[in-house]
Amino acid sequence: MTALDPADAAFARDPYPFYAALREQGRPAAPVALSNGTSAWLVTGYRQARAVLADPRFSNVPAPKTGPRRAEGATAGARSVLEQHMLNTDGAEHRRLRRLASVAFTPRRVDALTERIAGLTDSVLAELTARAGRGGVVDLVDGFAFPLPVLVISEILGVPEQDRLDLRTWTYRVGSPAGALAPGELDQAWQSLHRYFTQLIAEKRRRPGEDLFSLLARDEDEAALDDGELLAMAFLLLFAGYETTMNLLASAALLLLGHPDELRAARRDGDAGWAAVVEETLRHASPLEGTTWRRASEEADLGDGTVVPAGASVLVVLAAANRDPAVFTDPDAFRPDRYAPGSDRALPHLAFGHGPHVCLGARLARLEAMVALPRLFDALPDLRLAADPGTLPYRPGLLVRGPRTLPVRRVP
């Protein structure tokens, strides 16, 4: 059985050769031994990924804990509450939770944010331009890719500005393997998130506004969220609401800075060119590396002779499926032209998943990228990378993927 350490920095920086090797062995869905002593099936083939994501035999409900029961401490209690979100549910329960959250992400509501996103982008870029204008190196993640989606999702949800940096730190830690963190950091993050959202929701009930948290906290419908579900929903929407878009913006900027011809084409072709860049970035550098973990409730044949045994843990690796050479021509190349209008090479990538758990915020992420990327390169057309892309740090783990820093400088 192939071994994998998700906390390995080299793997985090470039996981694609590992995934390609699995496929080349004729194993687009195969068991892998993980460094924590467990094993899981990684699904790296495109067709197999679509099959698993749409198959109700692969449950999102976490398996019951087995073995000796440990005492429930503060961290275990906080984590068990915050993980009760809709990505860990199936069927009617998932549909109920998704319906309650979807009120903020309808096409009409998302599209109505266009001007506000443009204004927030301009304010972020004004500060970044001032910093870059003083010479030296600036970090495009901290100065652009992080603050913009945090501002947007925080306004939608109702998160105060002064709390956003702490929330970034805590959500980063809970999305990373414990082996990649200092002792105690993971426990501290789960407890801090639970405490923060408990206080925020109480405040929304005392002084409700027009934001989504206020709406959910005061919903008196019989299908409304209970206190635990509300905490979990708050955690999920914040985490998913900025992390995916941050990675999309950072990865797109990195790719365009390394592919000046594609950048010139996007600026020349306007909306159609930028839309192609966004879709190709989503495929080539999927901001969600993998889905949430699934469990085979019964033995399942994926249709190609691969049989996943009952009880197996299964991870659909979106980043790998989106580079499957059986589906995408020249899969490791950054080629926005494959998503150009009229191209017969345009294929549906899986960056936002597939099936009933497809990402609720996909339209919002695309809109933010479509608004922000052209403004970035209009404001700073002379940006250049200030580091070797092969040395940039990436978040360890199998959940989300994007550069954690992106040093750039202006070169007139």
Side-chain angles (χ1 to χ4, degrees), residues 131-145:
R131 289 162 53 194
R134 292 193 287 268
V137 174
V138 294
D139 183 355
L140 210 54
V141 173
D142 279 341
F144 171 70

Side-chain angles (χ1 to χ4, degrees), residues 12-240:
R13 189 175 297 114
D14 186 12
Y16 300 106
F18 178 88
Y19 299 140
L22 284 181
R23 282 196 304 265
E24 287 166 6
Q25 295 166 15
R27 301 161 69 197
V32 172
L34 300 176
S35 55
N36 64 2
T38 65
S39 65
W41 282 68
L42 297 193
V43 181
T44 56
Y46 179 91
R47 292 184 176 88
Q48 292 78 9
R50 284 179 63 93
V52 170
L53 293 174
D55 192 331
R57 292 176 297 178
F58 294 94
S59 173
N60 279 52
V61 178
K65 301 295 183 184
T66 59
R69 183 175 178 82
R70 296 185 299 177
E72 288 286 323
T75 300
R79 183 168 185 168
S80 67
V81 170
L82 294 176
E83 288 184 334
Q84 292 176 26
H85 53 70
M86 62 183 171
L87 295 189
N88 287 338
T89 61
D90 293 327
E93 182 65 4
H94 173 259
R95 290 191 293 272
R96 178 181 72 88
L97 295 173
R98 188 179 178 93
R99 178 183 64 80
L100 290 168
S102 64
V103 65
F105 299 98
T106 63
R108 181 180 62 81
R109 283 180 178 266
V110 170
D111 293 347
L113 294 170
T114 301
E115 289 189 11
R116 182 56 180 152
I117 292 172
L120 291 171
T121 301
D122 291 341
S123 66
V124 167
L125 287 175
E127 184 175 343
L128 179 66
T129 301
R131 289 162 53 194
R134 292 193 287 268
V137 174
V138 294
D139 183 355
L140 210 54
V141 173
D142 279 341
F144 171 70
F146 164 66
L148 177 60
V150 165
L151 286 170
V152 173
I153 197 63
S154 294
E155 288 204 3
I156 292 172
L157 301 180
V159 173
E161 183 175 356
Q162 67 270 16
D163 301 333
R164 295 167 190 173
L165 194 56
D166 282 340
L167 287 167
R168 179 195 184 187
T169 299
W170 298 332
T171 54
Y172 173 83
R173 290 175 180 171
V174 301
S176 301
L181 301 172
E185 284 187 337
L186 186 59
D187 288 347
Q188 185 268 342
W190 279 113
Q191 293 178 43
S192 296
L193 283 168
H194 184 273
R195 182 167 53 250
Y196 176 78
F197 285 126
T198 298
Q199 295 169 350
L200 179 64
I201 290 166
E203 179 63 21
K204 295 298 181 184
R205 283 176 169 152
R206 284 194 299 269
R207 300 181 181 85
E210 298 303 315
D211 54 84
L212 181 58
F213 282 172
S214 294
L215 179 64
L216 293 174
R218 67 173 182 255
D219 193 339
E220 297 178 356
D221 187 277
E222 63 179 15
L225 303 173
D226 62 31
D227 287 350
E229 290 172 337
L230 190 54
L231 284 169
M233 184 72 79
F235 164 66
L236 174 64
L237 292 177
L238 178 77
F239 180 85

Side-chain angles (χ1 to χ4, degrees), residues 216-274:
L216 293 174
R218 67 173 182 255
D219 193 339
E220 297 178 356
D221 187 277
E222 63 179 15
L225 303 173
D226 62 31
D227 287 350
E229 290 172 337
L230 190 54
L231 284 169
M233 184 72 79
F235 164 66
L236 174 64
L237 292 177
L238 178 77
F239 180 85
Y242 88 81
E243 182 83 31
T244 303
T245 309
M246 177 181 74
N247 292 334
L248 170 58
L249 292 175
S251 293
L254 174 59
L255 286 166
L256 290 170
L257 289 171
H259 295 79
D261 289 344
E262 282 72 18
L263 174 56
R264 281 191 290 270
R267 300 189 70 191
R268 179 194 67 221
D269 296 340
D271 285 350
W274 288 110

